[in-house]
Amino acid sequence: MTKGKVFIFLCFIIFATLNNPALAIDDKKNHIIGFSQCTTDDLWRRTMDEEMQNELIYFPSMNLIIRDAESSSEKQIQDIRELMLRGIDLLIVSPNESEPLTAVVGEAFQSGIPVILIDRKIASDHYTAFLGGNNREIGQEAGKIALEHLKQAGRIVEIKGLEGSSPALDRHLGFHEVVSKHDELQVTHSLSGNWEQETARAALLRVLQFDQQIDLVFAHNDVMAIGAHEALTEAGLRDKVFIIGVDGVPGPEGGLQALMDGKIDATLLYPTGGGNALSLANKILNGEAFQKENILNTLVINTNNVKALKYQTDLIINLSERIAFAKKNLDQQIERYYSQRFWLIVALGSLLLIIFLSSLLLRAYRNKLRANQVLEKQKKEITRQSDEMIRISRELEEVTKAKLVFFTNISHEIRTPLTLIIGPLENMLSHAKLKATERNQLQMMLKNANRLLRLINQLMDLRKVDNDKMQLQATENDIVSFVKEIKDAFDDLASNKKIEFVFTSDLSSYPVYFDKEKLDKILINLISNALKFTSPSGFVGIHLRTSMHYFGRERREAVEIEISDNGPGIPTEHQQRIFERFFQVDQKEGSVSPGTGIGLTLAKGLIDLHKGDITVSSKVGIGSSFFVYLQKGRDHLNDYEIKLQDDAFENPTHEIVGKNDLSEEYGEYSQTLINTGKSLFHDEKPLVLIVEDNPDVSVFIQSSLSDHYNIMTAANGAEAFERIYVQEPSLIISDVLMPVMDGLEFTKKLKTDIRTCHIPVILLTARSSYDQKLEGLETGADSYIPKPFNTKHLQVRVRQLIENRQRIRKYYQQDPLFLARDEGKLSQLDSNFLKKCAAVIEAHLSENDYSVEQLSAEVGLSRVHVYRKIKHLTGLSVSEFVRNLKLKKATILLIDSGSTVAEVAYDLGFSSPSYFSKCFKEQYNVSPSEFIAQNTEKNS
C-alpha cells in the first residue's frame, strides 16, 4: 500500500470515529434557565430544588442556574439583573414581594426573555406564564376546615405570611370570605409571621399574655404553624387549640411529619411545581402551545389521610434518589467515553502527523537540492542588480545635485529683479500724497515681494547647509535676553491676532555659545509657525530652562528653549518626518497647508551646525511644543567655529516679519476689515460675506466691492457660520481651500440647512478644471469663478445674483402664488419652506390672534430664523406675508363663495370689515366691492 493510500485510510478512520452516530452523545447545553427564588422556608426551598434537579434528567438541553435571595427583595432584584447579563434564555422567578419585583421582572419580559412566575405573582401582567396553587382557594379551604371543626362558632387567630407577598394576601382574602359569613366565627387576631417559625411563635406568645380565649390557629404555612404549636405548648393551651397549616411538604421537617407528630392538626397541600416549571419552560422554548395560567390542585390533609399520603411521598422520594444515582452513573460513563474517544483521536492524529511529517521531510530534502541550484543563480543576478542600483544611485545623486545647482542659480537670478521691485515700491510708499487704497495695494505688493525674497534666502541657506558651505560663527552671548528680544518683535502680531503670547524663564541670564544670525532664523521660523497655526484667542508660549539632554550617546547640561502653542497639533505618525525637506502636514483631508515645507528642515540644519538638537512633542487637538537644545560651554565646538570678537548684530528679519509678513498692516481701512471681521455698514447697501483665509486676497476682494456693498469677513467656513448666525448676509463669496472647514464643506452645510439655504454663494478657487467646477456646483454653489479672476467679472456676478433675489421678491409681493407656479427660481428647500408656511397659515386663516411664535413652532424654526428667511425670500415681514396670503384668498372667496365683504373679512381673521377693505385696496388698488363688481361684469 502506498503512502498516499495509508494517509487517506487513516483520515477515513478518524472521520468515521468523529461522526459515528452510535457514539455521538450531545452534551451541549442549548438553553440557559435562570431561577431566582426567595423564601425563608428551607424545607420548601430544598424540595423545589430537588424537584427541578430530578426533572433536568428529562431535559438534557437545559442548563439551570439557581440564585437564592435569602428573603431580601433587593438581593432578588440584583440576582435577576445578574442572570439577565449572563444571557439566559428563560427566567423562572418566585417573587419575595409583588410590588418591589414588578419592575425588574417586567424589564426582563420586555427585553424578550420569557418569564415564568412560581407560587407568587407580580403587580402586572408582564410575564409569560404563572405556575402555582390557587392561594385564594387554599384560604377558602382553610376557612371550611375551621368552620367544620368549630361548628360555626369560635375564636380564631390568623398568622399571615410576608406583608406584600401575593400568597399571603390571597390566602388571607380566601379565608375571610368563608369565615366572615358566620357571625359566631371571629378572627380575633391577625398576626404577621413573615413565613418564619420563630417570628410566628413570638407573635402568638405576645397575644397569649393577654388573651388565651383561642379555639383555632390558621397559619399561612406549616413552618409558622409549628411555631404556633410551640407557643401554645409553652402556654399550656395546645390541647384546646386546633392548628391548620399550609404546604404539606414531605420530609422529616415537613408539614406531613408535623401532622403525624401531632404538632399541627391539618394542612393543605401546596405543590412546589418545580418539575412542572421545567416542563412548561421546555414548551415555551420549543414554541409549543402552553397555558399562561397554570393552577396546581390542592388537597386537605388531616389525621385520616396523612399516613397514606406520607407513604406515597416516601416512595416518590426514594424513586427520585434512585433516578439521581442512575444519572450520576450515566454521567460518569459519558465522561469515560469522551476521555477514551479523545485519546483515540490523539493517537490516530499523532500517527497521521508522523506519516505526514516524514513525507514533508523527504520532499523538503529534494526541494532543498533544487533550491540551492536556484539560489546560486539568484545570487549572481542579485550581485548584478546591486551593481546596477549603485550606478543608478550615483546618477540620481548627480541629477539631484544638478537640480539644486539649477534651483540655486535661478534663486540668485530672481534676487536682482526682486531688488528692483522692492526698491521702487519703498520709494513710492515714502510719498505722503498717496490715496488710502493706493497705499494699501502698494504695501500688499511690498509685503509679498519681501516674502518671496525671504523664501529665496531660505533656499540658498538650505543649499549651503546641504553642501557643508554654511560656516558657524559662534560667540558667547546671554541666551535669555537674545530670545526675549526676538519675542518682543512678535508682540504686535500676537496682539493683532488676539493670541496670548507669553515669555517665561527659569534663568535671569545664561551665557551660551551660538551664532546670532542662525539662531535668529531658527527661532523666528518656530515662532512664526506657532502663531500661524494658532487660532485667535489661542496661546503661544516661550520658556527657557536648563536640563540634562542626550547629544548622541552623551548626556550633557544644556539650555532648553521651548516654544509651545495650543494649535491643531501634529499627528503622531507625522512627527518623525516633520523635519524632512518639503514635508507638510495637512491639517485637514483635502486642504493645503500654508508654507513651503523647508523652514523646519533649515532650522534642523542650523541646529546641527551648533551641535545641538531639536525635538517636537504634539497631540492632535491639544497643541505642539518644539524644544531647542544648545550645549553649555564651548568644548563641543571646533576652534574655527568660534568667533572671539562679537560684531554688532544687525538682522532686519524680525522687522520684515513683524511689519510685512504676518501683522497684516494694510492701513486704517484694511485693519478695520481684518481685525473686526466687518466694515462700517450702511443700511442701504446689501451685506456681502467674504470667506477667505488669505488676508491679501480678502482685502483685494473687499476693495473691489466696498463702494456698493457692506462687507463682513471670515477666515474659514466655521468662522463664517458664527458670523451668519449673528447677521445674515445677502450673498457669500468663499474660497475653496481653507483650514478648519473648506469652501466645499461650508457650501454643502449652508445649502442643506433650512435656515441658510436661501443665501447665494460664489466659490473662488485656483482649482479650475471641469470636474472641480462640477464638484463645486454640486454642493449647491450658485456660481464658480476660477482664480485669477477679473474684478469686473466678480462685480457683475455679485450684482446679478443679488438682483435676481430682489426680482423674485418683487414678483412674490405682486402675486403670492408666483413661487408655487415657478419653483425653478428657488431651491427645493426654500420652495418647500414657503409652501409649508402657506399651508400652516391657511389652516389658521380665521384666527385674528395667530402669532409669529405659533407659526415658528409649527414650521420647526426659531422666531428669528422664520422672520429672516421670509424677509429674505419675499421681501415681506411675517405679518405682511400672512396678510398677502389672506388677501389672495379673499379674491377667490369674494367671487366664488357668494359671501358679503364683512363675512369674508371675518372668515379670514381681519379685526373689522373696514380694516379689511383698507388692506385690500392697498394691495389691489380697488375696494372689495369694486373688485366684485368688476368680476361680475366680466362673467356676464
Side-chain angles (χ1 to χ4, degrees), residues 331-344:
D331 291 340
Q332 291 175 349
Q333 293 295 329
I334 292 173
E335 184 178 356
R336 186 178 299 113
Y337 157 72
Y338 280 116
S339 177
Q340 293 174 350
R341 189 177 73 167
F342 170 78
W343 288 113
L344 175 61

Side-chain angles (χ1 to χ4, degrees), residues 691-707:
V691 189
E692 171 61 68
D693 62 322
N694 187 308
D696 295 339
V697 179
S698 178
V699 171
F700 181 65
I701 297 173
Q702 293 171 54
S703 64
S704 65
L705 297 176
S706 57
D707 289 342

Side-chain angles (χ1 to χ4, degrees), residues 139-399:
Q140 293 171 350
E141 289 297 327
K144 293 177 182 178
I145 295 173
L147 187 65
E148 178 180 358
H149 177 76
L150 297 177
K151 308 301 182 183
Q152 302 184 1
R155 294 166 61 84
I156 302 172
V157 173
E158 181 185 14
I159 304 178
K160 300 185 292 183
L162 180 66
E163 293 292 337
S165 66
S166 60
L169 179 62
D170 290 341
R171 291 174 187 179
H172 170 76
L173 293 175
F175 183 75
H176 279 262
E177 283 179 4
V178 176
V179 173
S180 62
K181 295 179 181 179
H182 303 275
D183 297 334
E184 295 79 11
L185 283 177
Q186 299 179 13
V187 179
T188 58
H189 302 283
S190 186
L191 311 178
S192 177
N194 290 340
W195 307 115
E196 297 174 345
Q197 179 176 330
E198 185 57 32
T199 304
R201 172 182 168 279
L204 185 56
L205 280 175
R206 286 194 296 271
V207 171
L208 291 174
Q209 289 178 359
F210 62 87
D211 184 6
Q212 294 188 352
Q213 298 298 316
I214 299 174
D215 300 309
L216 184 143
V217 174
F218 168 48
H220 283 195
N221 70 352
D222 291 338
V223 174
M224 294 189 296
I226 294 173
H229 160 77
E230 293 175 354
L232 291 168
T233 301
E234 291 181 28
L237 300 174
R238 177 65 185 89
D239 295 334
K240 298 179 181 180
V241 180
F242 189 88
I243 300 176
I244 303 173
V246 177
D247 281 343
V249 177
E253 298 175 3
L256 292 181
Q257 187 63 44
L259 181 58
M260 292 188 68
D261 294 341
K263 294 180 180 179
I264 60 177
D265 301 297
T267 186
L268 292 159
L269 177 65
Y270 188 79
T272 60
N276 303 66
L278 291 183
S279 299
L280 182 58
N282 184 64
K283 289 182 179 180
I284 294 172
L285 291 173
N286 291 323
E288 299 177 13
F290 66 93
Q291 293 183 350
K292 183 170 184 176
E293 304 293 333
N294 300 270
I295 307 302
L296 301 175
N297 296 325
T298 187
L299 174 67
V300 178
I301 307 173
N302 52 32
T303 55
N304 296 327
N305 60 358
V306 64
K307 291 183 179 180
L309 190 61
K310 186 173 186 305
Y311 175 75
Q312 292 176 355
T313 55
D314 289 343
L315 288 177
I316 294 173
I317 292 173
N318 182 53
L319 181 60
S320 297
E321 291 174 350
R322 293 174 64 187
I323 291 172
F325 180 78
K327 181 178 181 295
K328 181 178 179 181
N329 287 337
L330 179 60
D331 291 340
Q332 291 175 349
Q333 293 295 329
I334 292 173
E335 184 178 356
R336 186 178 299 113
Y337 157 72
Y338 280 116
S339 177
Q340 293 174 350
R341 189 177 73 167
F342 170 78
W343 288 113
L344 175 61
I345 293 172
V346 169
L348 293 175
S350 300
L351 178 60
L352 180 62
L353 183 61
I354 291 171
I355 295 173
F356 181 71
L357 290 177
S358 299
S359 64
L360 286 180
L361 286 173
L362 179 60
R363 185 176 179 182
Y365 177 74
R366 293 176 179 174
N367 290 339
K368 181 181 178 181
L369 296 177
R370 289 194 294 266
N372 286 337
Q373 298 174 356
V374 174
L375 286 174
E376 188 64 30
K377 295 179 180 178
Q378 291 179 346
K379 182 179 178 181
K380 295 179 180 178
E381 179 64 21
I382 290 172
T383 302
R384 187 190 64 79
Q385 291 179 357
S386 177
D387 295 339
E388 182 68 16
M389 290 179 65
I390 292 173
R391 184 187 62 80
I392 293 173
S393 176
R394 289 173 179 171
E395 290 179 358
L396 288 175
E397 185 176 354
E398 292 174 2
V399 170

Side-chain angles (χ1 to χ4, degrees), residues 770-840:
Y770 174 79
D771 290 339
Q772 291 165 343
K773 289 181 180 179
L774 187 61
E775 181 184 9
L777 294 174
E778 285 178 345
T779 62
D782 297 86
S783 185
Y784 191 99
I785 300 176
K787 296 178 182 178
F789 57 87
N790 183 280
T791 56
K792 293 294 184 182
H793 180 195
L794 178 62
Q795 292 168 353
V796 170
R797 197 70 190 98
V798 170
R799 186 180 72 251
Q800 287 178 340
L801 287 173
I802 292 178
E803 288 178 350
N804 285 341
R805 291 290 175 175
Q806 293 172 344
R807 193 177 300 113
I808 292 173
R809 295 185 197 123
K810 183 177 180 181
Y811 289 156
Y812 187 85
Q813 292 170 14
Q814 296 173 351
D815 182 1
L817 300 181
F818 163 73
L819 293 176
R821 295 193 304 269
D822 196 355
E823 296 181 4
K825 296 184 179 295
L826 286 180
S827 69
Q828 189 64 43
L829 280 177
D830 289 338
S831 179
N832 291 341
F833 169 77
L834 288 177
K835 287 180 180 179
K836 185 174 183 180
C837 289
V840 170

Side-chain angles (χ1 to χ4, degrees), residues 270-555:
Y270 188 79
T272 60
N276 303 66
L278 291 183
S279 299
L280 182 58
N282 184 64
K283 289 182 179 180
I284 294 172
L285 291 173
N286 291 323
E288 299 177 13
F290 66 93
Q291 293 183 350
K292 183 170 184 176
E293 304 293 333
N294 300 270
I295 307 302
L296 301 175
N297 296 325
T298 187
L299 174 67
V300 178
I301 307 173
N302 52 32
T303 55
N304 296 327
N305 60 358
V306 64
K307 291 183 179 180
L309 190 61
K310 186 173 186 305
Y311 175 75
Q312 292 176 355
T313 55
D314 289 343
L315 288 177
I316 294 173
I317 292 173
N318 182 53
L319 181 60
S320 297
E321 291 174 350
R322 293 174 64 187
I323 291 172
F325 180 78
K327 181 178 181 295
K328 181 178 179 181
N329 287 337
L330 179 60
D331 291 340
Q332 291 175 349
Q333 293 295 329
I334 292 173
E335 184 178 356
R336 186 178 299 113
Y337 157 72
Y338 280 116
S339 177
Q340 293 174 350
R341 189 177 73 167
F342 170 78
W343 288 113
L344 175 61
I345 293 172
V346 169
L348 293 175
S350 300
L351 178 60
L352 180 62
L353 183 61
I354 291 171
I355 295 173
F356 181 71
L357 290 177
S358 299
S359 64
L360 286 180
L361 286 173
L362 179 60
R363 185 176 179 182
Y365 177 74
R366 293 176 179 174
N367 290 339
K368 181 181 178 181
L369 296 177
R370 289 194 294 266
N372 286 337
Q373 298 174 356
V374 174
L375 286 174
E376 188 64 30
K377 295 179 180 178
Q378 291 179 346
K379 182 179 178 181
K380 295 179 180 178
E381 179 64 21
I382 290 172
T383 302
R384 187 190 64 79
Q385 291 179 357
S386 177
D387 295 339
E388 182 68 16
M389 290 179 65
I390 292 173
R391 184 187 62 80
I392 293 173
S393 176
R394 289 173 179 171
E395 290 179 358
L396 288 175
E397 185 176 354
E398 292 174 2
V399 170
T400 302
K401 288 182 179 179
K403 288 181 178 179
L404 288 174
V405 170
F406 173 77
F407 202 47
T408 304
N409 293 337
I410 289 295
S411 299
H412 278 286
E413 293 299 324
I414 294 176
R415 288 170 64 90
T416 300
L418 276 177
T419 303
L420 295 176
I421 293 173
I422 292 172
L425 285 174
E426 290 175 340
N427 293 335
M428 294 171 69
L429 285 168
S430 63
H431 295 289
K433 297 182 179 180
L434 292 172
K435 296 180 180 179
T437 55
E438 293 173 345
R439 183 174 296 278
N440 289 335
Q441 291 180 355
L442 290 174
Q443 286 177 337
M444 187 190 310
M445 294 166 64
L446 180 60
K447 183 186 76 114
N448 284 281
N450 279 318
R451 182 182 295 172
L452 184 57
L453 180 60
R454 286 191 304 280
L455 175 60
I456 291 171
N457 289 336
Q458 282 186 337
L459 288 171
M460 294 178 66
D461 288 342
L462 185 61
R463 171 64 175 161
K464 290 178 181 178
V465 172
D466 288 342
N467 292 337
D468 295 327
K469 297 291 181 66
M470 182 73 74
Q471 183 66 46
L472 189 69
Q473 297 292 309
T475 57
E476 188 177 27
N477 302 283
D478 177 21
I479 189 67
V480 179
S481 60
F482 183 81
V483 176
K484 181 65 168 61
E485 179 185 353
I486 296 176
K487 182 265 178 188
D488 292 342
F490 286 89
D491 283 343
D492 290 341
L493 167 61
S495 177
N496 289 339
K497 292 192 68 176
K498 298 181 180 179
I499 293 174
E500 182 182 359
F501 191 27
V502 178
F503 173 83
T504 57
S505 175
D506 297 345
L507 314 166
S508 58
S509 64
Y510 194 83
V512 178
Y513 277 88
F514 60 89
D515 188 320
K516 287 186 175 181
E517 180 184 357
K518 295 174 179 57
L519 187 59
D520 182 82
K521 293 179 180 179
I522 294 168
L523 296 179
I524 286 178
N525 188 289
L526 296 176
I527 296 171
S528 299
N529 283 345
L531 292 171
K532 185 189 305 181
F533 291 107
T534 299
S535 302
S537 302
F539 172 83
V540 174
I542 303 175
H543 184 72
L544 269 69
R545 64 175 72 87
T546 58
S547 66
M548 299 301 293
H549 185 74
Y550 280 97
F551 296 91
R553 295 183 179 180
E554 187 177 359
R555 191 165 182 261

Side-chain angles (χ1 to χ4, degrees), residues 557-602:
E557 184 178 354
V559 61
E560 176 188 296
I561 306 170
E562 178 186 358
I563 300 171
S564 58
D565 64 70
N566 63 349
I570 304 169
T572 304
E573 63 271 17
H574 292 157
Q575 291 180 24
Q576 296 298 324
R577 302 187 58 198
I578 198 69
F579 297 107
E580 292 181 11
R581 184 178 304 169
F582 307 126
F583 180 79
Q584 294 175 279
V585 178
D586 288 347
Q587 300 300 326
K588 186 174 185 288
E589 188 67 27
S591 69
V592 178
S593 299
T596 59
I598 64 172
L600 290 177
T601 306
L602 178 60

